[in-house]
Amino acid sequence: MATPEPEVDLQQGLFSHLLELRSRLLKASATVLVVLLALVPFANHLYTELAAPLVARLPAGAHLIATEVASPFVTPLKLAFYAALFISMPMILYQLWAFVSPGLYKHEKRLARPLLAAALVLFYMGCAFAYFLVLPAAFRFLTAITPQGVEMMTDITHYLDFVMLMFFAFGLCFEVPVAVVILAAVGIVDLDKLRSSRRYAIVGAFAIAALITPPDITSMIMLAVPMCLLYELGMLAVRWLVKPGSLKPDAG
């Protein structure tokens, strides 16, 4: 018995989507690989720059240490890989967008494009905020409370893991406006509900900041206050850009 024509079309469509997905993944991976190869010769310099906020605040004679034999080689390479992902993210997101955009409605594309660009910029801003403002303040506090007779010497791998976690956490926390706009666009909240929930958002911002940041009040405030301001920015974006349920498909 011959295969029904709709089933053949479905299989061909699925196969073409899988081929396109593979192509997009290969392009994104190739971009990361090229950037990584370009950064490998500068891996040690990258680590020196990453460690600067801590090294500048260590007591005289203190320094970073490597507790594993391969750490001086592997840890800078890990940082180079993270940096390659960071630099390649616009291309990765473009490939993702090129794959999913044909299946979106026109009004969804109109809202998704600026949201995608804003999410990328806000993530970069969160990482920069953590590096230039929060980490120096946190390390100043941590070095100041080190007990007398204890010499602070941080392992280079543990330091990299800590800083990457901080970058990721602050990058995600800076996505508050994007999250607010998406919630409003799908109809979960509206502008009035966002306004009435402002006090809960402030409490939530300080609770999240207390969980994420190092154990000092300065770092907590330095994360909580921007999150509150970004919540207000999200409400402005909802007021200007979003119609209730604007991500829902058109009727009929």
Side-chain angles (χ1 to χ4, degrees):
M1 180 180 295
T3 305
E5 190 66 27
E7 184 176 344
V8 174
D9 292 340
L10 179 62
Q11 291 176 350
Q12 291 177 346
L14 178 60
F15 185 69
S16 65
H17 282 307
L18 291 176
L19 288 178
E20 183 181 0
L21 177 60
R22 186 186 69 170
S23 174
R24 299 295 179 184
L25 290 175
L26 287 175
K27 290 178 182 177
S29 301
T31 302
V32 175
L33 180 60
V34 170
V35 176
L36 175 60
L37 292 176
L39 290 178
V40 166
F42 308 99
N44 288 339
H45 178 71
L46 287 174
Y47 194 91
T48 299
E49 293 298 323
L50 186 73
L54 175 59
V55 172
R57 287 155 186 85
L58 289 175
H63 50 271
L64 296 175
I65 61 173
T67 58
E68 298 179 4
V69 175
S71 291
F73 174 74
V74 173
T75 303
L77 286 182
K78 285 176 61 178
L79 175 57
F81 175 71
Y82 293 145
L85 282 177
F86 188 84
I87 295 171
S88 304
M89 194 54 62
M91 175 59 73
I92 295 173
L93 291 179
Y94 170 76
Q95 296 299 332
L96 175 64
W97 171 255
F99 179 72
V100 303
S101 60
L104 299 179
Y105 293 98
K106 184 181 296 185
H107 60 281
E108 291 174 333
K109 292 180 182 180
R110 187 168 56 248
L111 186 60
R113 277 192 290 261
L115 283 181
L116 197 60
L120 184 63
V121 172
L122 287 170
F123 188 85
Y124 285 161
M125 289 177 60
C127 295
F129 185 83
Y131 178 79
F132 290 106
L133 296 177
V134 177
L135 290 180
F139 294 146
R140 188 180 301 113
F141 168 79
L142 294 173
T143 54
I145 65 170
T146 302
Q148 188 175 2
V150 175
E151 190 170 358
M152 185 176 180
M153 291 187 177
T154 304
D155 176 68
I156 59 173
T157 302
H158 292 162
Y159 176 79
L160 175 62
D161 294 341
F162 172 78
V163 173
M164 289 298 106
L165 178 62
M166 293 293 290
F167 282 177
F168 185 72
F170 273 76
L172 285 184
C173 288
F174 268 59
E175 301 293 338
V176 169
V178 175
V180 169
V181 170
I182 292 176
L183 290 175
V186 298
I188 296 177
V189 297
D190 55 25
L191 192 57
D192 291 336
K193 185 176 292 186
L194 289 170
R195 287 170 176 165
S196 64
S197 302
R198 182 183 281 115
R199 69 185 68 179
Y200 302 108
I202 293 173
V203 172
F206 276 89
I208 293 173
L211 291 173
I212 290 177
T213 59
D216 66 293
I217 189 67
T218 302
S219 299
M220 183 183 73
I221 293 175
M222 291 178 72
L223 176 58
V225 171
M227 287 182 67
C228 295
L229 296 177
L230 289 168
Y231 183 82
E232 298 293 331
L233 179 62
M235 287 195 294
L236 288 177
V238 169
R239 180 180 180 183
W240 293 336
L241 303 176
V242 178
K243 296 179 181 179
S246 60
L247 286 187
K248 294 180 180 179
D250 298 329

